[in-house]
């Protein structure tokens, strides 16, 4: 694949300086995008991927330091070189603290500018190589970051920072696809237990007849097929954090046993007469309010109180649409690396369609839409044609009976989820149902 030249954003309120920067960097082989103010620069960032930026510090309105902060909030991977005609040590120190890569004095030495930009791109290339090697070796970072700069996401991150150092149980609530496991992983990563295991469990994906053995472990010979001792999930999480996703799917018998473990801090493997002490933090998650399950008698009230010490609510994507451009940049970088592509932008038409869409599947659905676009051959830019799911549906001339229409819609949604996801567990999660419910619906609709 032929790589496109690195894209660089240059920002300066002086038109002559801007033209000089554009000409110098273009001749040096860069794809240059100009902006004459901080506001203009932020607009250029929407839906585009940049390798670096050259930013003047003294500009009317939003100054360079403020713009630097906004660039780093939008995309921390962009390397920023600051320029100024009025050098001050305090300003340079502030710029470097805010994440600037370098600091150049005006009038600019153009040879020095080209040299510095070469070092910037070389640094980005080396970081990309390290990331690629880690992926090839199977080395994962501690957790993916929670992406977003909107007020709801800032508040969510503040809540995580406050609750993480404690050992309180946390109940994470959010619609399917909002990132409940990412929140749980972030709490674990910022907690005193961060060096111990983080054990995520999808309670809706474990067959009912295996649940007790999965959670408590078993000893050899406890039942047919038990050929060796196993620790179980509770003991595997010892010293760390146990994350129970879809906790409302736990059957009543296991709810009782989970409550006992949380109270007594010990477990007894299936088939054993010996109990083992356990010490773990519990984080549970649900995509539906547990109070309703409690009122309907499907979830124990005493267990609910044990889990609901601190409640963390994740906002749906439709309530934080200003995060969509930030998420797009993040996913474009991720998929460029995974697919070996060099997609630079999402077209204005596609961006407008994405920001107008309701996203019932939230961030996971946005990720899936972009991944599908890459898989189907998107190269330099992603346009509306690469996002067929966002195209307006044709007008319906004759409406079928309501129940028939609902069943057909549900069947189509299940088929779409199965096409988009590699396994049925992920498909069920994207639909907001348990794996057992998915199998039942597939049987009803004749889906194989």
């Amino acid at each position: 694949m032929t790589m496109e030249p690195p894209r660089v954003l240059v920002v300066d309120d002086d038109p002559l300086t801007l033209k000089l920067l554009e000409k110098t960097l273009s001749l040096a082989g860069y794809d240059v995008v100009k902006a004459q103010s901080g506001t203009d620069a932020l607009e250029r960032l929407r839906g585009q991927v940049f390798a670096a930026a050259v930013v003047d510090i003294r500009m009317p309105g939003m100054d360079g330091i403020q713009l630097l902060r906004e660039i780093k909030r939008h995309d921390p991977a962009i390397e920023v070189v600051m320029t100024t005609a009025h050098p001050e040590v305090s300003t340079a120190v502030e710029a470097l603290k805010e994440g600037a890569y370098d600091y150049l004095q005006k009038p600019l030495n153009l040879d020095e500018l080209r040299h510095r930009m070469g070092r910037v791109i070389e640094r980005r290339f080396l970081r990309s190589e390290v990331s690629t090697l880690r992926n090839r070796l199977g080395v994962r970072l501690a957790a993916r970051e929670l992406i977003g700069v909107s007020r709801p996401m800032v508040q969510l991150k503040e809540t995580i920072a406050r609750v993480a150092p404690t050992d309180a149980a946390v109940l994470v609530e959010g619609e399917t696809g909002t990132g409940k496991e990412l929140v749980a992983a972030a709490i674990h990563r910022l907690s005193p237990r961060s060096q111990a295991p983080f054990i995520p469990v999808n309670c809706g994906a474990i067959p009912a007849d295996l649940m007790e053995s999965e959670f408590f472990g078993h000893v050899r010979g406890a039942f047919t097929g038990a050929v060796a001792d196993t620790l179980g999930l509770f003991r595997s999480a010892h010293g760390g954090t146990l994350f129970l996703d879809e906790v409302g799917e736990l059957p009543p018998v296991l709810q009782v046993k989970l409550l006992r473990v949380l109270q007594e801090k010990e477990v007894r493997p299936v088939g054993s007469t010996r109990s083992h002490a356990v010490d773990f933090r519990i984080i549970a998650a649900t995509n539906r309010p547990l109070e309703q399950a409690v009122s309907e008698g499907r979830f124990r009230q005493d267990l609910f109180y044990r889990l609901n010490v601190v409640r963390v609510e994740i906002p749906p994507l439709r309530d934080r649409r200003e995060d969509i451009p930030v998420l797009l940049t993040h996913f474009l970088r991720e998929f460029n690396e995974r697919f070996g592509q060099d997609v630079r932008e999402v077209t204005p038409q596609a961006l407008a369609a994405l920001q107008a869409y309701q996203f019932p599947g939230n961030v996971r659905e946005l990720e899936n839409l972009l991944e599908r676009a890459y898989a189907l051959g998107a190269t330099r830019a992603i346009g509306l044609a690469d996002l067929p799911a966002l195209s307006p549906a044709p007008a319906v001339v004759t409406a079928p009976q309501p129940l028939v229409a609902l069943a057909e819609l549900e069947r189509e949604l299940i088929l779409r989820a199965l096409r988009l996801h590699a396994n049925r567990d992920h498909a069920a999660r994207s639909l907001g149902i348990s794996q057992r419910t998915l199998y039942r619906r597939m049987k009803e609709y004749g889906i194989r």
Side-chain angles (χ1 to χ4, degrees), residues 68-373:
L68 169 62
R69 293 192 190 107
E70 292 300 319
I71 289 173
K72 288 297 183 179
R73 287 178 67 204
H74 176 87
D75 184 0
I78 297 176
E79 301 288 5
V80 183
V81 175
M82 309 298 293
T83 65
T84 182
H86 308 278
E88 296 176 6
V89 172
S90 60
T91 306
V93 169
E94 184 180 7
L96 294 174
K97 281 184 176 179
E98 293 292 342
Y101 172 75
D102 214 336
Y103 187 94
L104 295 177
Q105 183 176 341
K106 291 180 176 180
L108 294 172
N109 181 316
L110 299 183
D111 287 335
E112 181 65 16
L113 173 63
R114 284 188 288 264
H115 175 67
R116 298 289 177 91
M117 289 305 299
R119 287 174 56 189
V120 165
I121 300 305
E122 181 183 14
R123 178 183 177 181
R124 284 188 50 80
F125 174 77
L126 291 173
R127 283 168 53 184
S128 176
E129 286 293 293
V130 168
S131 176
T132 301
L133 286 171
R134 281 177 171 167
N135 289 336
R136 287 175 182 171
L137 293 170
V139 179
R140 296 186 61 189
L141 299 179
R144 288 171 57 190
E145 292 296 326
L146 289 163
I147 307 297
V149 297
S150 63
R151 187 60 197 157
M153 284 302 291
V154 170
Q155 291 173 338
L156 174 62
K157 292 174 186 179
E158 289 172 349
T159 300
I160 289 171
R162 286 197 301 270
V163 72
T166 75
D167 217 24
V170 179
L171 180 62
V172 183
E173 289 189 341
E175 296 178 5
T176 296
T178 50
K180 295 184 285 295
E181 186 172 337
L182 289 182
V183 168
I187 293 172
H188 172 75
R189 188 173 71 253
L190 296 174
S191 76
R193 297 177 178 268
S194 60
Q195 300 305 308
F198 173 75
I199 306 294
V201 184
N202 184 344
C203 298
I206 304 175
D209 56 342
L210 295 179
M211 272 195 170
E212 186 171 358
S213 172
E214 286 288 321
F215 277 95
F216 288 84
H218 59 258
V219 296
R220 181 181 178 184
F223 50 84
T224 303
V227 296
D229 293 356
T230 63
L231 285 177
L233 295 167
F234 290 137
R235 291 172 67 192
S236 295
H238 183 72
T241 302
L242 181 65
F243 171 56
L244 300 182
D245 197 6
E246 294 190 35
V247 70
E249 296 288 330
L250 287 176
V253 172
L254 203 62
Q255 291 178 32
V256 175
K257 294 185 176 183
L258 172 59
L259 179 63
R260 188 175 300 129
V261 170
L262 296 178
Q263 290 171 337
E264 300 175 1
K265 303 292 185 183
E266 62 178 28
V267 299
R268 180 181 298 175
V270 175
S272 175
T273 57
R274 180 188 172 194
S275 294
H276 300 267
V278 287
D279 170 33
F280 57 81
R281 182 182 196 168
I282 188 79
I283 301 178
T286 174
N287 59 16
R288 299 182 183 89
L290 276 185
E291 288 94 337
Q292 182 178 348
V294 171
S295 66
E296 294 172 355
R298 294 183 290 106
F299 200 84
R300 293 183 63 93
Q301 188 176 52
D302 45 6
L303 178 57
F304 170 71
Y305 289 140
R306 278 276 178 179
L307 299 175
N308 189 35
V309 177
V310 177
R311 184 178 301 204
V312 175
E313 297 183 9
I314 310 178
L317 186 54
R318 63 182 172 274
D319 289 347
R320 52 183 188 99
R321 295 181 188 275
E322 59 267 48
D323 287 334
I324 290 176
V326 183
L327 287 161
L328 287 174
T329 301
H330 169 76
F331 287 131
L332 289 182
R333 290 196 184 282
E334 186 176 290
F335 291 138
N336 277 343
E337 185 175 305
R338 188 193 306 178
F339 287 89
Q341 292 284 17
D342 192 25
V343 175
R344 297 296 186 88
E345 62 184 304
V346 175
T347 65
Q349 296 85 354
L351 179 58
L354 287 166
Q355 292 197 296
Y357 185 55
Q358 289 298 306
F359 282 105
N362 292 289
V363 178
R364 187 182 301 144
E365 184 178 7
L366 173 61
E367 181 179 11
N368 289 342
L369 286 172
L370 292 175
E371 185 173 6
R372 183 177 186 275

